[in-house]
Amino acid sequence: MSSIHQEKLLEVQGLQTYFFTDEGTSKAVDGIDFTVYRGETLGLVGESGCGKSMTSLSIMQLLNRPGKTVGGRILFKNEDLLTKSEEQMRRIRGKEISMIFQEPMTSLNPVYTVGEQVAEVFRLHENLGRKEAWAKAVELLRVVGIPSPEERSRQEPFQLSGGMRQRVMIAMAMACQPDLLIADEPTTALDVTVQSQILDLMKELQQRMGMSIILITHDLGVVAETCDRVAVLYAGQIVEYAYADSIFEHPKHPYTQGLLQSLPSIDQDQDELQAIPGTVPSPYDLPTGCRFAPRCAYRKEICSSQKPELLTTDHGEQVRCWMYSAEWQNTDATCKHNISPLGRSALA
Ligand SMILES: Nc1ncnc2c1ncn2[C@@H]1O[C@H](COP(=O)(O)OP(=O)(O)OP(=O)(O)O)[C@@H](O)[C@H]1O
Ligand code: SF4
Ligand SMILES: [Mg+2]
C-alpha cells in the first residue's frame, strides 16, 4: 500500500494469550512479536486456528473467557495497552484503533438503520448532535461507495448486500479516522470482484488518512495485493516475517513455501494444487521441537527435539527454522526426502 514511515505505531512484544479450559491450557498465541509502522499494512497470515484472530482480539482487549493474555506487552504510541483500564480502552477502541470483521452482520445491529449506526460513532466519540452526526454519516457512506447514500442510510442492514454491509462496517471503522485499522478476514465472505473492490477502498482510505492496517487473512493472494510486510503464523507463533515481495519471491520457511504452493495461479489446474499434508497441531498439545515438524518434508532429528528460535537476516527479516542455523549441516536427516536447504545465502 502506501510507503512505510519509520515511526512505530504498534509494537507487540512477546504476546501470549492462553485459554484455560477443562481440557487443559490452549496456547492460542504463544510469544508473538511484531511492529506496525505508521502508514504501513502488515499482513497476518496462516491456516485456520493459528492464532490470527486471538492476536487481534488481544490487542483490542476484547477476549472472552476463558481466554487471557498472560504475557507480553502491546505498545501503542509507546503506551502499554495491557495496563489500560476498560474505560481507557473504550476510548481507544473506535477512535484510535478500529476493527472490522469477516461477517458484518455479527457487528451491525439488525434493528437500527445503517445511517443511525454510523451516526452513533460520531455521537459517541465526537460528541456531535443528532442532525450533524446524521449528515456526517450520510457523507461518509457516500465516501465508501454506497450508492444513493441518503436513501440507503435509512435502510436496515438486511436490506443491503454483503459487499454493501462491509462498506458500512468500513465507514463505521473509519468515522473517527483511527491511527490503526485491524481488518480480520474482511473480504473472505465476499465474491472475488467485490473482494477486490473492498481492498481497493481500504487502500484508498489508507492513503487519504495515512492510517496503518493489520490485515488478517488466510489468502496469500490478498497479501500480495495489499501488504507491505507479512507475518506468517503457525500454531500461535510467527514462523516467517518479511517484506511481502520477498515472501513471494523467496519464501524461506517450509510452511510459507507450502502455503504458496497451495495458492491457485491462472495457469494452474485446481487439481495440481499441493495442499500441505497433515493438520495444524492442537494448541493443547504442541510438538516439543519445531511445531511444523510433523508436516515438514525437510525435517531432521534436531527439529523434533529442539525448538527453533526466530533468526534475523541482514534485512531485518525473520525465519523460525533450523535449516537456516549453523547447526543444520551437522545434524542427521530423519526424513526420506533428499532436499537441499533453500535460500540460505540470503540469511546472515
Ligand atoms: N474459547 C476458546 N477455548 C479454547 N481455545 C480457544 C477458544 N477460542 C479460540 N481458541 C483457540 O485459539 C486458537 C487460535 O484461534 P484463532 O481464532 O485466533 O485462529 P485464527 O487463526 O483466527 O483462525 P481462523 O482462520 O479460523 O479465523 C485456536 O486453535 C483455538 O483452539
Ligand atoms: S525446523 Fe525443521 S521441521 Fe521445522 S520447518 Fe525447519 S526444517 Fe522443517
Ligand atoms: Mg480468525
Side-chain angles (χ1 to χ4, degrees):
M1 280 193 176
S2 57
S3 62
I4 297 175
H5 306 278
Q6 290 303 309
E7 186 190 340
K8 289 175 179 174
L9 179 67
L10 178 79
E11 282 181 88
V12 173
Q13 301 175 341
L15 181 69
Q16 289 176 305
T17 294
Y18 292 176
F19 287 83
F20 298 94
T21 69
D22 293 344
E23 287 173 68
T25 304
S26 162
K27 297 181 175 175
V29 178
D30 200 16
I32 281 184
D33 299 77
F34 61 80
T35 300
V36 182
Y37 293 92
R38 272 206 193 265
E40 84 158 328
T41 301
L42 174 74
L44 291 187
V45 188
E47 287 168 293
S48 188
C50 67
K52 305 182 295 292
S53 294
M54 292 311 143
T55 300
S56 52
L57 293 175
S58 305
I59 296 169
M60 296 296 272
Q61 285 175 57
L62 289 173
L63 287 167
N64 289 322
R65 274 180 204 217
K68 191 170 168 21
T69 295
V70 292
R73 299 202 301 168
I74 300 171
L75 301 176
F76 179 68
K77 298 182 184 172
N78 295 319
E79 288 182 37
D80 190 355
L81 296 182
L82 295 175
T83 64
K84 302 276 179 201
S85 66
E86 178 49 28
E87 175 63 31
Q88 288 170 318
M89 278 311 295
R90 248 200 303 270
R91 276 199 293 266
I92 291 171
R93 283 185 218 119
K95 178 120 178 103
E96 295 183 70
I97 309 177
S98 285
M99 191 158 173
I100 49 178
F101 299 91
Q102 176 176 338
E103 184 32 77
M105 273 319 261
T106 56
S107 317
L108 289 170
N109 190 322
V111 302
Y112 289 99
T113 67
V114 292
E116 281 170 317
Q117 297 187 55
V118 180
E120 181 66 11
V121 183
F122 287 119
R123 281 159 52 76
L124 261 179
H125 287 293
E126 299 197 349
N127 280 329
L128 296 185
R130 210 166 268 281
K131 246 185 158 167
E132 207 182 340
W134 179 265
K136 283 192 83 165
V138 173
E139 183 45 37
L140 190 55
L141 290 172
R142 187 191 314 280
V143 170
V144 299
I146 304 268
S148 322
E150 289 87 357
E151 288 158 43
R152 289 296 192 165
S153 52
R154 291 192 169 77
Q155 294 185 331
E156 280 147 20
F158 75 90
Q159 294 173 281
L160 273 60
S161 67
M164 287 295 149
R165 285 200 287 260
Q166 200 54 293
R167 285 175 191 268
V168 173
M169 281 307 301
I170 291 175
M172 286 173 73
M174 298 295 167
C176 298
Q177 309 207 346
D179 299 291
L180 176 65
L181 172 71
I182 304 177
D184 191 349
E185 306 265 8
T187 59
T188 308
L190 306 171
D191 71 48
V192 180
T193 321
V194 183
Q195 191 172 52
S196 71
Q197 287 168 359
I198 296 288
L199 291 173
D200 286 347
L201 171 66
M202 283 171 52
K203 276 190 239 182
E204 188 193 315
L205 293 171
Q206 179 181 42
Q207 268 152 18
R208 203 188 281 198
M209 298 180 187
M211 68 182 171
S212 310
I213 298 179
I214 297 178
L215 181 69
I216 295 177
T217 176
H218 60 269
D219 186 341
L220 276 167
V222 167
V223 166
E225 264 181 62
T226 4
C227 298
D228 298 300
R229 290 183 307 138
V230 188
V232 180
L233 265 62
Y234 189 76
Q237 294 185 322
I238 289 178
V239 294
E240 185 161 358
Y241 188 33
Y243 290 98
D245 303 347
S246 148
I247 281 225
F248 279 91
E249 283 166 30
H250 311 287
K252 293 186 184 72
H253 198 281
Y255 179 59
T256 318
Q257 292 167 7
L259 284 180
L260 281 169
Q261 277 160 10
S262 52
L263 196 66
S265 65
I266 297 161
D267 44 77
Q268 200 173 20
D269 216 312
Q270 196 71 24
D271 300 341
E272 289 174 28
L273 292 179
Q274 298 171 26
I276 306 169
T279 52
V280 184
S282 159
Y284 289 101
D285 186 19
L286 293 161
T288 320
C290 168
R291 294 182 179 181
F292 189 61
R295 303 172 76 183
C296 184
Y298 302 89
R299 184 182 67 237
K300 286 187 179 185
E301 195 176 346
I302 192 173
C303 304
S304 306
S305 57
Q306 292 182 49
K307 291 184 201 312
E309 297 294 324
L310 260 187
L311 300 172
T312 303
T313 72
D314 276 348
H315 310 105
E317 298 183 336
Q318 295 179 310
V319 61
R320 188 189 295 279
C321 174
W322 279 116
M323 205 192 286
Y324 300 95
S325 70
E327 288 90 337
W328 185 254
Q329 295 303 346
N330 306 324
T331 51
D332 296 328
T334 53
C335 72
K336 296 185 187 75
H337 309 264
N338 182 19
I339 304 163
S340 58
L342 295 165
R344 277 197 73 165
S345 56
L347 288 160

